[in-house]
């Protein structure tokens, strides 16, 4: 990297201060717990475009009847970082793209603060590809129908790191029923890929005082994907 101007440093500090408050954080220590990789499912295509074509009319569960659009995922097919939310909300269901509402706009700002975007080195998707009515939590049978799609997306992308956004995504991917606070701050594994759990951006909109903790997580995330 070449010399960085003081203007650039000031802009960066102003942006992170707006997002996360006054503190700057150092990296966190990783703790591990692991499950093995899942082999590639050869019934599915070996690229994301054809995979979308194969599954976007899915009716394996009842959400196939109530959705407006199937929300497959968006971003860089060679991303180092895959962000996983729980399920599409109203805006996402209408647009067919994950995290496009207010929470998604905050997520885009957080990604910009670690020099990433949904076009650059990041892929964004959800555990469920279809919106549950009234944004209720995913049901176990919906997860068991939809999760193989997520596993195949991750097998194709081969990211360095998965970040579960929020308690529901975290507990679903880790198959545990724990509060977010006990999943945060540890390095987990999802089918062999390192995974971190952090706050859902919608939770940050409701509780801005969680932003400094989120910034800690994203500094740690950046240190992993930059390595
Ligand atoms: N919340 C999620 O978990 N996913 C989205 O795509 C939008 C909101």
């Amino acid at each position: 990297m070449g010399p960085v101007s003081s203007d650039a440093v000031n802009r960066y500090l102003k942006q992170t201060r707006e997002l996360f408050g006054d503190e700057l954080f150092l990296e966190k220590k990783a703790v591990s717990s692991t499950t093995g990789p899942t082999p590639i499912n050869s019934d599915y295509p070996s690229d994301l475009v054809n995979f979308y074509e194969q599954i976007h009319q899915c009716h394996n569960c009842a959400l196939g009847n109530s959705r407006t659009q199937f929300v497959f995922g968006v971003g860089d097919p060679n991303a180092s970082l895959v962000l996983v939310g729980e399920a599409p909300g109203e805006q996402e269901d209408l647009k067919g793209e994950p995290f496009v509402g207010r929470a998604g706009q905050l997520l885009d700002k957080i990604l910009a603060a670690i020099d990433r975007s949904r076009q650059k080195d990041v892929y964004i998707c959800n555990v469920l590809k279809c919106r549950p009515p009234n944004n209720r939590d995913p049901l176990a049978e919906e997860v068991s129908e939809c999760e193989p799609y997520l596993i195949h997306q991750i097998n194709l992308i081969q990211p360095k790191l998965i970040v579960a956004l929020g308690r529901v995504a975290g507990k679903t991917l880790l198959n545990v029923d724990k509060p977010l606070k006990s999943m945060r701050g540890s390095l987990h594994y999802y089918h062999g890929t390192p995974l971190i759990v952090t706050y859902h951006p919608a939770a940050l909109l409701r509780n801005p005082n969680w932003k400094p903790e989120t910034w800690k997580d994203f500094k740690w995330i950046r240190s992993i994907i930059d390595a």
Side-chain angles (χ1 to χ4, degrees), residues 76-212:
D76 182 347
N78 301 308
S80 314
L81 177 61
V82 171
L83 302 177
V84 184
E86 60 184 83
E90 185 181 16
Q91 299 300 315
E92 291 75 21
D93 174 65
L94 291 172
K95 199 160 173 209
E97 184 173 330
F99 286 97
V100 290
R102 277 183 68 225
Q105 288 159 22
L106 176 58
L107 185 61
D108 287 340
K109 287 187 186 168
I110 295 171
L111 291 175
I114 60 161
D115 192 28
R116 300 301 198 284
S117 71
R118 57 179 78 204
Q119 290 82 34
K120 180 181 168 194
D121 206 26
V122 175
Y123 191 86
I124 308 180
C125 57
N126 285 298
V127 177
L128 296 190
K129 308 305 186 207
C130 302
R131 182 190 182 205
N134 304 314
N135 300 340
R136 63 152 168 74
D137 286 356
L139 302 178
E141 59 265 32
E142 294 161 355
V143 173
S144 70
E145 290 296 342
C146 224
E147 197 176 9
Y149 298 158
L150 175 66
I151 293 170
H152 192 62
Q153 285 174 302
I154 289 166
N155 274 339
L156 293 181
I157 297 167
Q158 299 196 325
K160 285 186 184 170
L161 182 67
I162 298 166
V163 172
L165 297 169
R167 189 185 79 89
V168 174
K171 80 178 179 112
T172 308
L173 297 185
L174 296 176
N175 203 16
V176 292
D177 193 8
K178 288 188 176 167
L180 181 109
K181 284 198 168 114
S182 72
M183 295 184 280
R184 256 195 84 232
S186 300
L187 189 63
H188 309 271
Y189 284 82
Y190 182 69
H191 297 270
T193 304
L195 178 144
I196 286 171
V197 185
T198 189
Y199 290 98
H200 193 287
L204 300 179
L205 292 173
R206 290 190 299 270
N207 293 289
N209 53 337
W210 289 339
K211 286 182 179 180

